[in-house]
Amino acid sequence: MRISTLILCGALLAVSACGDGFDRETGGDNTSEFGNATMNNTLIQSGQKEYTMQLAGRFAREVPSTITFAFNSSQLDGNAVATLRQQADWIKTFPEVRFRVYGHTDLVGSNASNQALGLRRAQAVVAFFASQGISRNRLEAMASYGETRPVVQTPAPEERNRRTVTEVSGFVKNHPALLNGKYAAVIHREYLVLAERAHPSNQVIATQTSGN
């Protein structure tokens, strides 16, 4: 009796396994994330993901990545323009790198209107970068999170939520400097340039000796 019970259980497990997709051909894609995982592995193995993260960290440390907006507006004010000029200068330093601008809103208004407003804000930043001579091809995406990712969780108008954030998103495909996958060379190139620059305080100070 015990043996027959075990056989029955085994049969039930086999049937349930078939229902979970094990009846597919060998090598079949059992998850919708297979392609994403493969792409992720490729980026890691090539070094692109690691160096993208390094550059993203440098960008966040060396320049302000966020600007804010007036209520229900996508216009760039003087403070925003000053910050975006810093961002643009940094972006032009790395012509092999792509960037992404995310638009956000506060929690006032409908989701649909906030999605549209967040996108307009991101587009305003991209337009500014283009006016500074940066190719739109390097600004690979303009994503609007609308009201879904507030800095401050409040239903009231909040300037810190009305923002755009600029981030490093990857490397320009088939850029001549990256044909051999030399992502590390791109990262460290600017360090070498900075090391060669004369520090402003390194000046010879002339001294006079007084005779007694």
Side-chain angles (χ1 to χ4, degrees), residues 192-212:
L192 296 176
V193 172
L194 289 172
E196 293 174 354
R197 294 176 185 169
H199 193 280
S201 63
N202 290 342
Q203 299 176 353
V204 177
I205 301 175
T207 59
Q208 293 182 341
T209 57
S210 57
N212 291 324

Side-chain angles (χ1 to χ4, degrees), residues 1-14:
M1 183 68 179
R2 187 172 183 181
I3 294 176
S4 61
T5 302
L6 290 174
I7 293 174
L8 178 60
C9 290
L12 290 173
L13 286 173

Side-chain angles (χ1 to χ4, degrees), residues 31-205:
T31 71
S32 61
E33 298 297 320
F34 179 80
N36 290 338
T38 301
M39 180 180 67
N40 189 58
N41 289 340
T42 299
L43 295 177
I44 292 174
Q45 291 172 9
S46 68
Q48 180 174 344
K49 186 162 187 176
E50 175 188 352
Y51 293 116
T52 296
M53 293 174 65
Q54 286 190 30
L55 268 178
R58 279 192 60 183
F59 182 78
R61 289 192 306 271
E62 295 175 9
V63 297
S65 59
T66 302
I67 62 170
T68 58
F69 293 81
F71 181 74
N72 198 32
S73 173
S74 59
Q75 297 296 314
L76 304 175
D77 62 19
N79 291 331
V81 168
T83 296
L84 292 179
R85 288 190 191 280
Q86 294 181 58
Q87 293 184 15
D89 289 342
W90 202 99
I91 290 171
K92 286 186 281 189
T93 303
F94 293 95
E96 310 91 345
V97 180
R98 299 194 311 266
F99 293 80
R100 186 174 291 147
V101 180
Y102 297 97
H104 302 260
T105 70
D106 55 27
L107 303 181
V108 179
S110 69
N111 182 64
S113 63
N114 284 336
Q115 286 285 337
L117 178 57
L119 183 58
R120 290 198 301 274
R121 287 171 174 166
Q123 290 172 333
V125 172
V126 168
F128 178 84
F129 287 153
S131 75
Q132 301 299 299
I134 299 169
S135 171
R136 287 179 180 264
N137 292 332
R138 297 179 55 205
L139 306 167
E140 66 164 339
M142 296 172 292
S144 171
Y145 286 142
E147 62 181 3
T148 59
R149 297 194 180 184
V151 173
V152 180
Q153 190 69 46
T154 175
E158 173 55 57
E159 181 180 8
R160 285 170 290 180
N161 291 337
R162 303 191 299 264
R163 69 199 190 280
T164 60
V165 181
T166 306
E167 296 181 359
V168 173
S169 63
F171 290 86
V172 176
K173 187 176 181 181
N174 296 328
H175 191 282
L178 299 172
L179 292 180
N180 295 321
K182 296 180 178 179
Y183 303 109
V186 173
I187 304 298
H188 297 294
R189 180 191 63 220
E190 189 63 14
Y191 283 126
L192 296 176
V193 172
L194 289 172
E196 293 174 354
R197 294 176 185 169
H199 193 280
S201 63
N202 290 342
Q203 299 176 353
V204 177
I205 301 175

